[in-house]
Amino acid sequence: MSCANDQKVAPGSTVDLQGYTLPAGNSRCQKLTVPGPTLAFQNISYFVHITTRSFFSKEAEEKEILRNVSGIMKPGMNAILGPTGSGKTSLLDVLAGWKDPKGLRNGQIFMDGKAVNSKLHLCSAYIVQEDILMGTLTVRENLQFSASLRLPQSRNNEAEKQLKVNAVIQELGLQECADTKIGTEFLRGVSGGEKKRCSIGMELITAPSLIFLDEPTTGLDANTANAIMQLLHQLSRKGKTVIFSIHQPRYSIFRLFDHLMLMNKGEIIYAGPAEESTGYFNSIGYQCEAFNNPLDFFLDVISGEIMQSRPSPESAASVEETDSHSHSCSDKNPLPMYYHKSRYYEQLQQELENLQPFESHLRDTGATKATYATSFFHQLYTVSNRNVKNILRNPQTSIGQLLLGTFFSVLVGLIFYQVPATLPEAFQNSRLGAFFFLVINQVFGNLSAVELFINERRLFIHESSRGYYRTSAYFLAKVFADLIPNRIIPLLMFSAISYFMMGLKQDAGAFFLYVLSLSLTNVAAVSMAFLVSASVSTFAIANVLIALPFVFMMVFGGFLVNLNSMLNWLSWIKWISIFHYGMNALTINELKGAVFHLNFSTTGTHTSILFIRVPGEVYLQQQGIDYSAWGFWENEVALLCLSLVFLFFAYIQLLRVNRWK
Ligand SMILES: Nc1ncnc2c1ncn2[C@@H]1O[C@H](COP(=O)(O)OP(=O)(O)OP(=O)(O)O)[C@@H](O)[C@H]1O
């Protein structure tokens, strides 16, 4: 029986694995007891843009990576196999709705007979090749995170969510490692197979009936790979349609397949019942030796290592005929032509003809948009909770910032210990030098903030596109989880030590304004780092992008270069300089209202020493600094505005992150 013999499934009825009959004793003979979805696709052609850059030119060309691919995937185990680069992952991505619809030139996808668009990813599960999990959390905590955000609050209370997590742990056999951390680059965690199970569990929480997996056995040893495939097999027997790509599995895994699709260079060379595949290749003249793994045999046939031993008259005639008509098959390889002439292809076409297209896949080019099961505040709480756990279990950054802050505060305290109140030292060489040092420290000492969104970029794309949370909830949770432990707490320590060691104005109000000015300087610099972090995906580029504007801001901040002597066309930079506002705020706060002494010695008949009282405002006036109340606060407001603008654009950049594969 062929896979093309589709049956309509009445809800609740018992479904046979249509066309997948195997000899007695084979595991494929098990019957499905629950109906599952059928995914069909017709004439899928997908193009990508390839840009080749040379020193002087840039050339763009289009490459067709899927060519008129059609098939039907029914409840059970549906394998996609082919040599590397044959288009397996691309086909999965297109079917699951994760590939940019702009590249889809032709073709339609049908779910249970109805045309669907690229939003299929919202109602199916896709387990990607690499496991994308939070390494500092345990298996159970990762599953709880998925359950908490992906199960609707209205239909599942916390106890029910917990029950579902326990059920998934049980189903996937994760009891032994449920409370073990996944592991990071510094922390040894669960094994590769357990990680893969956990990744599958993250998706199973929502009980999807259509599951895509991209090479689920890659990187696993033979036994673990076998165990994972057995697990998928069990799931498929509960009425799930499991579609996966796979690389050279062993025979025991092959025996679990119900349907096999073989691909080469973006084309299908066989799609039909897995157990009929060797028979099909025999019929077109390729002999599989006894004891050879059929999957190795297929790959050898594709690569040309096994030659056609006796082309059947039927297939030879087919090739000639197809050669003259077909435009879709590749010029050299006859395998797609044989397939196009086979009964499997014919039956598939008949079945596809019965499907009614309601909506063209081509028309759907809108951006991927997730729908959410939980409220914004629930998401904010859950993601913040995870961030706190992550920081507590991975405290290097927070401890580093605290140590750095303490070290620099003591250093600045020692260099400018108890600054004098006598002129001329009181200004340029002590207070102003110290303030410049403090501002530099707040700006350059927080460059670690550029890692905020880069570190978790893959995790964010993975989770946000699957509807775990809104970008806004993630953004706020991340920003606060970084600002409070890594910036504000070290800053409070820094301010207290440096202020009293330097012996600045003995006034509580002045101290709090000093802390406020440094905090806003810090937050403005960190927000700019967040913006860069949300805009690029590599540290190297981020470091360049953040260091360059900071250096410009420092040079044109007014302390190193006299702004009056500066080129006019560059002087505007001071208006966006964190240094300019930070320095001004600290200087006004310290000098306004303070009195300094100028010592004079006069020589004549008597040598006498004169003390002249010089108000701090004299210096401020000389420098053209507005020291009125608003003159001070405008610096704080400017720093706040810079922070808000940088944060706003950082959020926009996160929204713009490309979620398509
Ligand atoms: N976005 C893209 N830009 C350029 N080329 C692409 C893109 N996506 C896929 N390709 C190309 O399409 C072809 C098929 O890639 P795909 O990843 O689907 O193959 P695969 O069979 O899954 O390979 P592997 O087994 O190595 O993962 C490859 O030649 C790949 O380089």
Side-chain angles (χ1 to χ4, degrees):
M1 216 193 298
S2 143
C3 72
N5 295 337
D6 193 14
Q7 297 168 8
K8 284 268 177 281
V9 176
S13 65
T14 299
V15 180
D16 194 353
L17 279 178
Q18 307 110 357
Y20 300 142
T21 328
L22 278 179
N26 192 303
S27 59
R28 279 179 241 165
C29 281
Q30 292 174 28
K31 300 205 170 170
L32 288 176
T33 51
V34 190
T38 297
L39 186 77
F41 45 99
Q42 193 172 19
N43 298 333
I44 301 273
S45 291
Y46 195 89
F47 288 76
V48 289
H49 282 281
I50 299 188
T51 324
T52 39
R53 287 169 204 270
S54 67
F55 198 69
F56 298 107
S57 63
K58 181 177 146 186
E59 282 174 25
E61 60 169 315
E62 278 202 327
K63 180 181 168 191
E64 189 174 19
I65 57 170
L66 293 175
R67 190 178 301 165
N68 274 336
V69 176
S70 304
I72 294 187
M73 306 289 197
K74 295 175 182 170
M77 294 283 277
N78 298 275
I80 305 175
L81 190 95
T84 180
S86 56
K88 305 181 292 292
T89 306
S90 303
L91 178 60
L92 277 183
D93 291 342
V94 170
L95 294 182
W98 289 110
K99 203 100 177 151
D100 191 343
K102 284 184 197 131
L104 192 60
R105 292 297 154 76
N106 190 28
Q108 284 194 308
I109 300 174
F110 304 87
M111 176 89 150
D112 289 331
K114 289 184 184 165
V116 292
N117 59 22
S118 64
K119 309 279 186 298
L120 190 60
H121 64 273
L122 299 177
C123 57
S124 62
Y126 190 154
I127 293 114
V128 291
Q129 194 173 339
E130 63 281 19
D131 300 305
I132 305 180
L133 298 160
M134 181 59 93
T136 49
L137 300 193
T138 64
V139 168
R140 187 188 300 281
E141 286 167 340
N142 269 294
L143 294 173
Q144 278 167 342
F145 183 77
S146 178
S148 178
L149 292 172
R150 298 175 81 191
L151 298 175
Q153 282 164 296
S154 50
R155 274 181 274 149
N156 305 268
N157 60 31
E158 284 311 308
E160 283 165 344
K161 288 183 181 181
Q162 197 55 50
L163 281 180
K164 285 197 177 162
V165 168
N166 289 340
V168 167
I169 288 176
Q170 196 85 22
E171 188 169 20
L172 299 184
L174 286 167
Q175 300 93 320
E176 296 286 309
C177 61
D179 297 310
T180 308
K181 293 194 186 94
I182 294 294
T184 62
E185 47 194 316
F186 308 110
L187 171 85
R188 174 81 182 92
V190 295
S191 70
E194 288 163 341
K195 218 183 262 183
K196 181 57 75 187
R197 281 165 191 262
C198 185
S199 299
I200 296 173
M202 296 291 279
E203 298 295 314
L204 286 192
I205 286 284
T206 56
S209 49
L210 180 58
I211 306 175
F212 296 94
L213 298 103
D214 186 15
E215 298 184 14
T217 55
T218 298
L220 303 179
D221 63 73
N223 282 336
T224 317
N226 204 26
I228 293 286
M229 295 311 293
Q230 288 286 356
L231 171 81
L232 294 175
H233 184 256
Q234 282 165 19
L235 290 174
S236 74
R237 266 50 205 166
K238 292 175 185 164
K240 296 192 190 294
T241 303
V242 182
I243 306 172
F244 53 93
S245 65
I246 195 157
H247 260 299
Q248 273 179 296
R250 62 197 244 191
Y251 184 66
S252 60
I253 291 180
F254 172 64
R255 280 161 49 92
L256 301 174
F257 300 171
D258 297 309
H259 182 267
L260 178 67
M261 180 176 272
L262 286 171
M263 294 188 73
N264 184 35
K265 295 184 181 164
E267 288 181 289
I268 295 185
I269 59 168
Y270 173 78
E275 78 276 8
E276 292 180 18
S277 51
T278 30
Y280 166 74
F281 278 93
N282 279 344
S283 76
I284 58 169
Y286 294 92
Q287 291 300 325
C288 180
E289 289 170 2
F291 306 115
N292 191 1
N293 179 353
L295 297 163
D296 293 338
F297 163 70
F298 300 144
L299 293 179
D300 287 344
V301 169
I302 292 169
S303 68
E305 275 183 38
I306 292 182
M307 305 303 287
Q308 215 170 3
S309 54
R310 44 156 195 81
S312 69
E314 193 191 324
S315 63
S318 303
V319 174
E320 276 170 31
E321 198 184 319
T322 315
D323 236 353
S324 55
H325 293 108
S326 172
H327 300 288
S328 64
C329 303
S330 60
D331 300 337
K332 288 177 194 155
N333 196 336
L335 294 170
M337 300 176 205
Y338 291 146
Y339 171 64
H340 280 220
K341 279 287 155 191
S342 71
R343 67 189 169 93
Y344 299 104
Y345 185 73
E346 201 178 310
Q347 283 167 342
L348 174 71
Q349 291 305 315
Q350 277 171 11
E351 212 171 328
L352 287 172
E353 269 168 27
N354 297 331
L355 301 170
Q356 291 302 311
F358 293 117
E359 182 185 339
S360 170
H361 200 120
L362 293 175
R363 266 187 265 131
D364 180 57
T365 51
T368 171
K369 225 180 174 120
T371 49
Y372 303 101
T374 54
S375 69
F376 168 81
F377 288 105
H378 180 81
Q379 293 168 7
L380 184 63
Y381 169 77
T382 311
V383 181
S384 302
N385 195 17
R386 180 174 76 171
N387 288 339
V388 170
K389 278 187 188 152
N390 198 25
I391 286 172
L392 291 176
R393 292 174 191 179
N394 199 7
Q396 290 96 327
T397 308
S398 311
I399 293 175
Q401 284 299 138
L402 205 63
L403 291 178
L404 192 79
T406 313
F407 173 77
F408 275 108
S409 57
V410 173
L411 185 68
V412 75
L414 290 175
I415 296 173
F416 301 99
Y417 188 70
Q418 298 301 318
V419 282
T422 49
L423 293 172
E425 305 84 31
F427 294 154
Q428 206 72 36
N429 295 334
S430 54
R431 283 173 177 75
L432 299 178
F435 295 157
F436 187 65
F437 193 91
L438 294 175
V439 172
I440 283 193
N441 186 262
Q442 290 314 310
V443 174
F444 287 100
N446 285 293
L447 285 180
S448 64
V450 287
E451 71 174 25
L452 188 74
F453 298 115
I454 296 178
N455 263 353
E456 280 185 14
R457 200 172 178 85
R458 271 186 336 132
L459 189 74
F460 163 69
I461 293 174
H462 181 82
E463 293 177 343
S464 66
S465 53
R466 276 164 180 74
Y468 279 69
Y469 42 65
R470 290 164 181 83
T471 303
S472 51
Y474 173 82
F475 178 76
L476 286 180
K478 281 301 287 178
V479 164
F480 283 108
D482 184 83
L483 277 183
I484 295 168
N486 297 342
R487 319 292 156 199
I488 302 301
I489 294 176
L491 179 111
L492 294 179
M493 172 101 104
F494 178 90
S495 311
I497 297 174
S498 58
Y499 196 86
F500 294 106
M501 278 186 80
M502 287 192 292
L504 298 179
K505 213 190 245 180
Q506 300 295 305
D507 175 65
F511 172 70
F512 286 117
L513 290 179
Y514 168 85
V515 175
L516 179 72
S517 306
L518 281 184
S519 303
L520 287 172
T521 305
N522 177 312
V523 172
V526 167
S527 305
M528 194 167 172
F530 290 164
L531 170 57
V532 171
S533 179
S535 308
V536 298
S537 51
T538 55
F539 285 111
I541 298 175
N543 282 332
V544 173
L545 285 183
I546 192 68
L548 215 67
F550 279 169
V551 169
F552 267 86
M553 284 182 182
M554 182 174 75
V555 171
F556 297 104
F559 185 78
L560 291 182
V561 178
N562 184 348
L563 293 176
N564 298 327
S565 65
M566 205 195 298
L567 290 172
N568 255 352
W569 63 276
L570 282 178
S571 61
W572 60 270
I573 295 178
K574 75 175 175 199
W575 299 117
I576 53 159
S577 170
I578 297 170
F579 287 81
H580 173 76
Y581 296 116
M583 282 288 293
N584 275 3
L586 290 171
T587 312
I588 297 170
N589 182 45
E590 175 64 15
L591 299 192
K592 189 177 170 186
V595 177
F596 301 92
H597 305 283
L598 185 60
N599 298 348
F600 247 111
S601 47
T602 54
T603 45
T605 43
H606 298 289
T607 300
S608 56
I609 297 176
L610 295 176
F611 292 95
I612 300 179
R613 289 164 59 86
V614 181
E617 285 83 348
V618 172
Y619 175 81
L620 294 171
Q621 229 160 12
Q622 263 179 9
Q623 295 299 313
I625 298 172
D626 176 6
Y627 55 86
S628 64
W630 171 241
F632 170 77
W633 283 104
E634 71 179 356
N635 294 300
E636 310 288 13
V637 170
L639 287 170
L640 186 66
C641 289
L642 281 178
S643 308
L644 293 177
V645 168
F646 291 142
L647 286 175
F648 174 74
F649 282 109
Y651 170 63
I652 298 290
Q653 288 296 73
L654 269 197
L655 277 180
R656 291 180 62 239
V657 166
N658 185 7
R659 267 97 164 159
W660 296 119
K661 288 186 77 186

